[in-house]
Amino acid sequence: MALEVKLLDSKILREVRELVRPHNPQYCYQCAKCTSACTATKVIPDYKPHLIVALTRLGLIKGLLDSGIIWACTECWKCSEYCPQDVAPVEVVIALKNLSVAMGYKPPEDLKMMAKNVVELGYISPPIEVLSKEFEMYSRSALSLPELVKPYIHEGTAKNLKKLLGGIYE
Amino acid sequence: MSEVRIGVYVCHCGKNIGGVINPAKVAEYASTLPNVVVARDYVYMCSSPGQSLIEEDIRKYNLNRVIVAACSPRMHEPTFQGVLKRAGLNPWLLQMVNIREHDTWVHEDTPDKAEEKAKELVAAAVARAAHLYEITTEKFPVIKSAVVIGGGIAGIRASLDLANAGIKVYLIEKKQSIGGKMAQLDKTFPTLDCSQCILTPLMVDVSRHPNIDIYAYSEVVDVSGSAGNFKVKVKLKPTYVDWSKCTGCGTCVEKCPGRAPREFDEGLGVRKAIYFEFAQAVPRRPVIDPKHCLWFTKGICRVCEKVCPVKAIDYGQEERYVELNVGAIIVAIGYELYDLSRLKEYGYGRFKNVISGLQLERLSSADGPTRGKIVRPSDGREPKTVGIVLCAGSRDEKHVRYCCRFGCAAAIKHIYYIKHAIPDAKVLVFYTDVRAFGKGYEEFYQKYRSEDNVFFIRGRPAEIFEDKDGSLIFDVYDSNTGQLINVKADLVVLEGAVVPPKDWEALRRVLKVSCDPGGFALELHPKLRPFETTSDGVFLAGAIQGPKDIPDTVAHAAAAAAAAIGFLAKGYVESVPYLAVVNDEVCSGCGLCVSVCPYDAITIEEREGRRVAKVNSIRCKGCGACAATCPSGAMQQNYFTDTQIISEVVSLAGGAK
Amino acid sequence: MSKFLLFLGCTIPTKQYAYEISVRSVLPRLGVELVEFPEAGCCGFPLKGLNKKAWIYMSARILSIASKKGLPILALCNGCDTSLRKIKDLLKHDEILREEIAKLLEDEGVKLNLNAGVYHTLEVLHDFIGVEKIKSQVRRPLNGIKIASYPGCHMLRPSDIPRPEDPVEPRKFDSVLRALGAEVGYYPDKGGCCGATILPYSAKHALLIVAAKLKTIKDYGFDGISTSCPYCMEMIDAKQDAARSEVGDESISIPAFYLTQLVGLAMGLSPKELGLNLNVSPIESILEKLGVSLYE
């Protein structure tokens, strides 16, 4: 089944371009140097940064967002480092991640948890006790480290973050 | 010229002007202006009847000024000046008014206003015309000789063409032999000719030609004078060998104990401290490298002096300078490979088995470091798997933005080298786009992608790592098959980016040649005049104007030579009509004009106890910077005097009607 | 420059305690004064996938608070270091965004100010303290111990903003290790990724990534690995066992340390002062070579 040309649209590309300024995904000439460098593709073959840029350019991202494959990016930044056209594929993927969240797609559960913790606690996870080699549990104070100062996050800042992050951690 | 009698001619330019405004109305308006004796409109003023119209009017009405309101003077000023000349008038009594590019072409949507503007522009021209005066240009004799800077294939071709046309040529080459990059190649694409076999006969032709003097191991350090009469100062670097006595027997080289990496082999081979650049060198004379000579570094040896049969060794030789007086200069200094160690991810310079395409040429060459055997630099073993990386540094915003033009064809040729030397080798070519644009290139590409065990992978390696045995390991994604391939290669060849030579920056300032965004010499017009520069008498031949393969280089060099021949054939150069002119009585000799002149055309002279500016009419290009800067108005520019310009401005400010 | 705001980020103060412990023990002894920065919080790096502006907001906030205090920031985590420098660069060139962020900061009474200097642990060790000084403080040289440096992605990239290390051939890390008397060496893909970022997406694949790195390092004959990022340490140390079982390769067993722990060890500090009992990987073999008992 061939793809119908009316599905090709620049709208999503324009939104992505706004988010990735000053990089330009339209400069990409599909050399695939990014995918050759990509950390994720070596273990998750379906994840291919050059393909994500190509699909974004055509506006054909529904499949990408539905599959959630964009969350496979390890953000190692190798693609951007080696890209000869300053496309910065990682920035395109981050833009798609942002757009998907804004559209209502669910990000990985643990990531949602981290966001929730930052807004409520100021850190991506609450302070935990760790197990030592001698099988003892140690907290910060047990290790003679200074206590974390409360409130961990300012009220106003938390409110702003909540707004920016949207309702993802309902 | 007491009475000013102006003829105004308004062109329709077909529908370009006539489709937007009514030229007849403009002409009618013009006829009401002061000093206007006759005003007409016509559909194509530049055509034969149009021109005749003007010519007849000049004679009939005794016109002494002509205004043509039409297209841009860049299009037809010479055309209409021709009309004036035929009618016996000085061509600079013509004033063109641009009512096309400056009016109807940009104000199509407001035709009424466009017509008003046309009238105002014509009125301004009429006001200016009253102040126009006759201008004559000066002729200066040119010297029928040329300096060609650079002795590669471009310089060789240009020199031969010039010399055959009877022009004396001084060929300046910074290395000790002419031949350039082509001498380093094994074969040339797509014909697979032996490079030196087709090059060396030309090198010999150059050395034997009665009209060519070769200055090898020399560099141009300064250029003064002007087009047609350049004074080129050349530094002859010390070779420490008296080349006039030397017979090129080579005994010194044979006996020399000193060693150094061989530049001709791109660092792969070894040479002596006294050496010929290569065996077929022209001139075939050796040079001592003081950095590696035992006498210069440690005060011992001097074997070459002892064995030389003609006592040509001269350790005390010093650099010399000569000044060459020539009419034209051709720049043919070629290109350099981009420093591939800057592509840190590829490991060039860190990993022994990552080499450049030029280094592969040397390995493959019969006179190379391995006598033509293609081997891995790390252990001398034959590589069984070879990776060729196209666009290494090219088309890359972080390195070199433009395409190197010949990398693809060179890579296809390299497939041939490797398969011919090692028939069971596996060759992987990592490409993005293959550019096989030249004559015979597509056939060449078809042939070598059809070989056994040759794989074109559409993808670019990102990072190359070294394995414990010196092999290179890396992943590359093939977008044709959608596969990530894990490659282990014995040898990796980088087809590197191409940049102008390092010494170009200093040389071009001496020649007053601009550069393009890539740093290459800026041509006068990229399409129509690619071998000329904005500096009269200075021409461009070969890759210095932009990356080229050999056929394009030769064509370009021949074109530069032809242009230079044409320039010199006239026998004279003419000063520009828009010359800067000094009013001696007003000039105070402040020297501000000197400081702004980009052509070094003005000097301050002592005359009768006063300091006065003097303009060199052949160097002056009529840019007007001095006239604009002059605080007293002593410096004026022909055809753009203060009076002429102000009269136009006053008219425009006062408005038409 | 010898006084820094100690910026812990969020992983170190809540879980990767050993890094904080070793930094607090080692850096003051080398002449660096650490000033507490308790109100800093998270730099926002992990949140950029959810909302880029939230990330920019949080890093801009930290820069602004530090600028007001007039002190440079010492970032212990690669991610924090990259965040702060990237946001400095981003906002420098984007006036509209600057205004938006400034407005958000007003709600906390913070004035937008991006001037504070940002430095990473490695930079402070190599560029400010210097390898000569470190060498002079070594009492228990790590002779005969071959350590693989594992700088981590975000110490090296993106390289269009200032980074502590050269993006392809990291040299400073190895210089510091050499100053401690340790042996260093090459292994392929030293600048490679530990996979931590995709733990939320697929822990299995994150483990596959780090397992491959650990295997390569083992193959090249290293006795141990050192890093200076808490994310990387989490993967190569805490998750080493899980990585081993995921690929079913028993050879993946190698001691992992924070760089500051190794510096402290070489300086003669006790394991307790360096939080060494919190490392999960089998560091005992290295300690034995140095004649150090974990519980002294």
Side-chain angles (χ1 to χ4, degrees):
Chain A
M1 259 294 290
L3 190 75
E4 293 202 20
V5 72
K6 66 179 182 215
L7 290 170
L8 302 180
D9 189 85
S10 283
K11 181 168 162 293
I12 219 64
L13 178 60
R14 278 196 293 275
E15 284 175 58
V16 169
R17 277 198 68 166
E18 194 45 46
L19 284 168
V20 303
R21 259 183 319 152
H23 301 286
N24 185 354
Q26 286 175 288
Y27 275 177
C28 173
Y29 51 59
Q30 295 287 296
C31 68
K33 194 167 176 185
C34 50
T35 307
S36 300
C38 182
T39 305
T41 205
K42 296 188 211 294
V43 295
I44 306 170
D46 280 347
Y47 180 79
K48 299 170 201 184
H50 79 285
L51 184 57
I52 293 176
V53 173
L55 288 169
T56 306
R57 271 209 301 212
L58 296 177
L60 301 171
I61 59 162
K62 186 169 181 312
L64 276 179
L65 299 189
D66 285 346
S67 69
I69 192 86
I70 52 175
W71 297 101
C73 170
T74 64
E75 291 177 15
C76 72
W77 239 271
K78 277 188 180 179
C79 54
S80 179
E81 184 71 19
Y82 300 132
C83 173
Q85 287 290 297
D86 252 347
V87 171
V90 66
E91 297 272 8
V92 173
V93 172
I94 290 173
L96 288 174
K97 285 176 177 173
N98 282 194
L99 286 172
S100 74
V101 165
M103 283 192 227
Y105 282 89
K106 295 233 166 302
E109 203 50 50
D110 285 352
L111 199 51
K112 269 170 62 173
M113 207 58 225
M114 282 158 73
K116 190 160 192 265
N117 286 332
V118 168
V119 172
E120 287 165 20
L121 298 174
Y123 298 105
I124 55 174
S125 56
I128 60 166
E129 287 191 340
V130 292
L131 184 67
S132 74
K133 287 248 182 214
E134 64 271 18
F135 299 103
E136 301 270 339
M137 296 297 284
Y138 284 94
S139 65
R140 273 187 74 85
S141 48
L143 293 165
S144 309
L145 288 172
E147 280 297 326
L148 295 179
V149 164
K150 280 189 159 80
Y152 300 140
I153 184 166
H154 185 274
E155 196 186 340
T157 308
K159 201 168 72 155
N160 285 334
L161 279 178
K162 246 190 179 153
K163 237 195 307 179
L164 287 169
L165 292 167
I168 54 150
Y169 56 89
E170 237 105 65
Chain B
M1 286 274 177
S2 43
E3 198 201 339
V4 172
R5 297 174 63 78
I6 305 177
V8 178
Y9 300 89
V10 186
C11 185
H12 292 229
C13 195
K15 280 167 78 172
N16 284 298
I17 297 173
V20 179
I21 64 174
N22 187 342
K25 281 255 160 33
V26 179
E28 193 186 305
Y29 166 71
S31 61
T32 67
L33 296 169
N35 298 323
V36 175
V37 168
V38 58
R40 296 188 200 285
D41 65 290
Y42 186 69
V43 63
Y44 295 107
M45 206 56 85
C46 55
S47 65
S48 183
Q51 292 190 42
S52 302
L53 199 59
I54 303 176
E55 200 180 330
E56 280 158 22
D57 272 1
I58 293 175
R59 292 187 217 278
K60 193 154 85 179
Y61 293 96
N62 234 336
L63 299 176
N64 51 33
R65 303 286 190 283
V66 173
I67 291 177
V68 177
C71 54
S72 163
R74 282 183 77 89
M75 278 232 57
H76 281 311
E77 186 173 69
T79 312
F80 296 113
Q81 284 183 325
V83 174
L84 269 72
K85 279 194 245 183
R86 289 198 294 279
L89 278 184
N90 183 285
W92 297 97
L93 298 171
L94 167 78
Q95 175 77 49
M96 275 193 79
V97 183
N98 189 340
I99 56 170
R100 189 182 74 170
E101 282 88 335
H102 286 184
D103 192 13
T104 59
W105 269 7
V106 295
H107 299 308
E108 272 179 346
D109 352 335
T110 51
D112 294 333
K113 291 197 177 155
E115 194 169 294
E116 277 311 301
K117 182 172 174 179
K119 289 181 183 168
E120 287 174 34
L121 290 175
V122 169
V126 167
R128 183 193 182 123
H131 302 290
L132 291 175
Y133 53 83
E134 291 182 349
I135 300 174
T136 43
T137 52
E138 258 183 278
K139 291 195 169 79
F140 298 85
V142 300
I143 302 174
K144 277 216 164 86
S145 62
V147 151
V148 175
I149 311 177
I153 185 64
I156 288 171
R157 178 58 201 246
S159 300
L160 288 171
D161 285 357
L162 283 162
N164 287 338
I167 292 166
K168 177 81 186 163
V169 177
Y170 303 100
L171 177 56
I172 320 289
E173 165 56 54
K174 75 171 177 218
K175 299 212 234 147
Q176 64 207 118
S177 168
I178 60 175
K181 293 280 182 307
M182 207 175 150
Q184 291 178 281
L185 303 178
D186 179 17
K187 296 186 169 27
T188 59
F189 54 74
T191 48
L192 296 177
D193 285 311
C194 154
S195 187
Q196 287 211 15
C197 304
I198 58 175
L199 174 68
T200 48
L202 293 173
M203 288 164 60
V204 174
D205 283 350
V206 166
S207 69
R208 286 192 186 290
H209 204 297
N211 278 343
I212 304 178
D213 284 351
I214 302 177
Y215 283 85
Y217 216 57
S218 304
E219 292 173 18
V220 171
V221 293
D222 197 26
V223 174
S224 55
S226 50
N229 203 326
F230 289 115
K231 290 182 186 33
V232 180
K233 190 168 173 193
V234 179
K235 175 167 83 172
L236 279 63
K237 299 183 287 192
T239 58
Y240 306 107
V241 177
D242 185 344
W243 280 10
S244 60
K245 291 190 185 147
C246 173
T247 58
C249 69
T251 316
C252 53
V253 178
E254 215 185 294
K255 302 290 183 208
C256 174
R259 294 285 184 280
R262 191 169 182 224
E263 294 85 350
F264 192 73
D265 283 337
E266 297 291 303
L268 287 179
V270 171
R271 60 158 170 81
K272 305 290 187 79
I274 185 169
Y275 64 107
F276 296 111
E277 190 167 338
F278 56 104
Q280 298 72 29
V282 166
R284 190 181 145 81
R285 297 285 180 271
V287 159
I288 297 181
D289 164 19
K291 290 207 191 76
H292 292 96
C293 166
L294 290 172
W295 169 245
F296 280 100
T297 53
K298 297 206 178 99
I300 52 168
C301 185
R302 290 177 82 121
V303 166
C304 51
E305 189 183 41
K306 297 189 186 93
V307 302
C308 176
V310 293
K311 306 259 175 288
I313 306 290
D314 175 9
Y315 299 109
Q317 191 184 86
E318 286 177 353
E319 66 191 23
R320 286 186 299 131
Y321 293 87
V322 295
E323 194 170 81
L324 302 166
N325 205 200
V326 297
I329 299 175
I330 295 191
V331 185
I333 62 173
Y335 70 91
E336 258 171 30
L337 267 191
Y338 183 63
D339 176 6
L340 296 175
S341 64
R342 296 181 64 162
L343 302 166
K344 294 182 179 169
E345 62 267 33
Y346 285 160
Y348 181 84
R350 282 185 293 131
F351 306 142
K352 286 213 158 84
N353 295 325
V354 175
I355 63 173
S356 68
L358 204 47
Q359 284 176 320
L360 182 66
E361 297 284 342
R362 296 314 305 147
L363 287 174
S364 185
S365 292
D367 66 342
T370 58
R371 292 271 168 270
K373 270 196 72 156
I374 297 181
V375 297
R376 293 172 11 130
S378 68
D379 53 15
R381 295 219 310 251
E382 237 176 30
K384 291 296 186 201
T385 306
V386 181
I388 301 179
V389 179
L390 289 176
C391 300
S394 305
R395 304 181 67 193
D396 192 324
E397 294 287 305
K398 299 183 172 95
H399 296 281
V400 171
R401 299 179 84 170
Y402 46 88
C403 166
C404 75
R405 202 171 165 99
F406 51 73
C408 288
I412 298 167
K413 178 181 56 158
H414 292 159
I415 298 174
Y416 164 76
Y417 287 174
I418 296 163
K419 293 298 288 183
H420 189 75
I422 311 163
D424 61 340
K426 198 179 267 183
V427 180
L428 300 148
V429 179
F430 306 110
Y431 73 101
T432 301
D433 298 301
V434 174
R435 296 175 166 186
F437 58 89
K439 204 159 171 176
Y441 287 15
E442 193 59 49
E443 190 189 324
F444 189 50
Y445 177 26
Q446 202 178 53
K447 179 161 167 64
Y448 289 102
R449 65 177 185 263
S450 312
E451 292 270 311
D452 241 16
N453 274 326
V454 169
F455 304 110
F456 272 77
I457 308 287
R458 192 178 188 282
R460 200 177 293 192
E463 299 173 299
I464 295 181
F465 303 113
E466 197 178 40
D467 205 355
K468 292 183 193 150
D469 61 356
S471 305
L472 293 329
I473 44 177
F474 52 98
D475 285 340
V476 64
Y477 185 80
D478 176 27
S479 53
N480 287 336
T481 56
Q483 294 264 55
L484 189 67
I485 304 177
N486 180 254
V487 179
K488 187 171 146 110
D490 299 314
L491 183 69
V492 165
V493 181
L494 302 177
E495 304 296 354
V498 160
V499 295
K502 273 190 242 2
D503 41 8
W504 169 231
E505 190 50 37
L507 180 61
R508 73 175 188 83
R509 284 176 198 283
V510 156
L511 294 168
K512 300 214 194 328
V513 173
S514 308
C515 62
D516 68 13
F520 291 96
L522 189 65
E523 61 282 297
L524 194 49
H525 189 280
K527 288 255 187 244
L528 300 177
R529 307 181 77 168
F531 40 83
E532 298 165 89
T533 65
T534 50
S535 294
D536 286 347
V538 178
F539 304 91
L540 303 172
I544 187 58
Q545 182 254 348
K548 289 182 189 46
D549 54 11
I550 294 168
D552 286 348
T553 297
V554 171
H556 196 250
I565 293 167
F567 172 72
L568 296 172
K570 268 202 322 244
Y572 63 87
V573 283
E574 240 177 296
S575 61
V576 293
Y578 320 110
L579 221 48
V581 175
V582 185
N583 183 338
D584 287 2
E585 323 227 316
V586 180
C587 175
S588 66
C590 72
L592 278 172
C593 51
V594 177
S595 59
V596 301
C597 177
Y599 300 99
D600 288 343
I602 312 179
T603 44
I604 305 291
E605 282 191 339
E606 280 277 340
R607 227 183 281 161
E608 292 152 13
R610 285 176 58 226
R611 285 162 50 88
V612 178
K614 179 165 151 64
V615 177
N616 177 325
S617 343
I618 195 57
R619 297 188 76 127
C620 174
K621 295 280 164 267
C623 72
C626 54
T629 309
C630 176
S632 63
M635 187 71 82
Q636 293 291 322
Q637 192 179 7
N638 277 346
Y639 208 67
F640 294 99
T641 63
D642 289 351
T643 318
Q644 289 163 354
I645 297 175
I646 290 171
S647 66
E648 254 191 288
V649 171
V650 165
S651 168
L652 289 168
K657 292 191 290 283
Chain C
M1 203 174 319
S2 56
K3 197 167 167 184
F4 295 89
L5 284 166
L6 180 62
F7 177 45
L8 301 170
C10 44
T11 320
I12 298 167
T14 59
K15 187 174 188 199
Q16 287 287 333
Y17 302 123
Y19 199 175
E20 188 181 343
I21 297 173
S22 54
V23 162
R24 286 184 187 280
S25 299
V26 167
L27 291 187
R29 281 189 172 81
L30 291 171
V32 173
E33 194 189 326
L34 300 171
V35 176
E36 299 300 320
F37 197 12
E39 64 272 58
C42 176
C43 69
F45 200 64
L47 306 183
K48 73 177 105 54
L50 300 172
N51 186 287
K52 198 168 169 183
K53 209 177 278 182
W55 169 44
I56 298 172
Y57 174 38
M58 300 188 74
S59 282
R61 176 184 164 269
I62 293 167
L63 285 166
S64 304
I65 297 175
S67 300
K68 179 133 188 254
K69 291 183 194 264
L71 288 170
I73 301 172
L74 165 60
L76 300 191
C77 166
N78 291 3
C80 294
D81 179 72
T82 301
S83 266
L84 297 175
R85 293 195 215 215
K86 187 92 176 114
I87 266 61
K88 248 197 198 200
D89 187 64
L90 245 171
L91 288 179
K92 195 163 33 160
H93 298 116
D94 193 334
E95 203 180 310
I96 300 170
L97 197 49
R98 258 208 316 276
E99 277 172 32
E100 280 182 57
I101 302 291
K103 223 158 185 279
L104 289 171
L105 287 173
E106 272 167 26
D107 292 337
E108 193 177 334
V110 172
K111 185 160 173 277
L112 178 65
N113 185 337
L114 305 168
N115 288 331
V118 179
Y119 303 97
H120 183 274
T121 322
L122 179 66
E123 268 172 307
V124 170
L125 284 169
H126 184 276
D127 298 341
F128 295 120
I129 297 169
V131 293
E132 285 310 316
K133 173 129 191 222
I134 295 175
K135 217 193 262 190
S136 72
Q137 299 292 312
V138 169
R139 302 278 170 270
R140 194 196 280 144
L142 308 179
N143 289 340
I145 301 174
K146 194 170 177 197
I147 302 283
S149 54
Y150 194 115
C153 300
H154 303 117
M155 196 195 287
L156 312 179
R157 297 179 292 271
S159 68
D160 57 346
I161 51 172
R163 312 302 315 122
E165 269 280 26
D166 180 277
V168 175
E169 271 286 282
R171 280 171 232 278
K172 293 187 189 175
F173 208 116
D174 280 348
S175 284
V176 173
L177 288 172
R178 254 187 268 118
L180 304 176
E183 210 186 300
V184 297
Y186 165 84
Y187 66 91
D189 200 13
K190 203 175 262 195
C193 180
C194 67
T197 307
I198 57 169
L199 281 171
Y201 172 75
S202 167
K204 167 186 153 122
H205 290 103
L207 292 173
L208 288 175
I209 292 171
V210 73
K213 294 286 168 305
L214 292 168
K215 181 137 174 82
T216 305
I217 292 172
K218 206 67 210 277
D219 265 351
Y220 273 71
F222 288 92
D223 300 313
I225 319 178
S226 177
T227 187
S228 62
C229 172
Y231 268 102
C232 295
M233 187 66 172
E234 179 75 26
M235 295 304 288
I236 63 173
D237 179 67
K239 298 251 184 311
Q240 199 181 106
D241 292 342
R244 185 166 51 240
S245 355
E246 185 63 47
V247 294
D249 186 343
E250 287 307 307
S251 73
I252 296 181
S253 169
I254 180 166
F257 296 91
Y258 276 111
L259 179 59
T260 39
Q261 286 179 318
L262 287 177
V263 175
L265 259 181
M267 280 167 68
L269 301 184
S270 70
K272 188 141 184 266
E273 289 171 291
L274 302 170
L276 282 170
N277 59 335
L278 302 177
N279 291 30
V280 178
S281 55
I283 59 170
E284 291 83 351
S285 55
I286 304 270
L287 294 181
E288 215 179 281
K289 274 201 187 139
L290 294 172
V292 175
S293 162
L294 192 53
Y295 306 106
E296 61 186 49

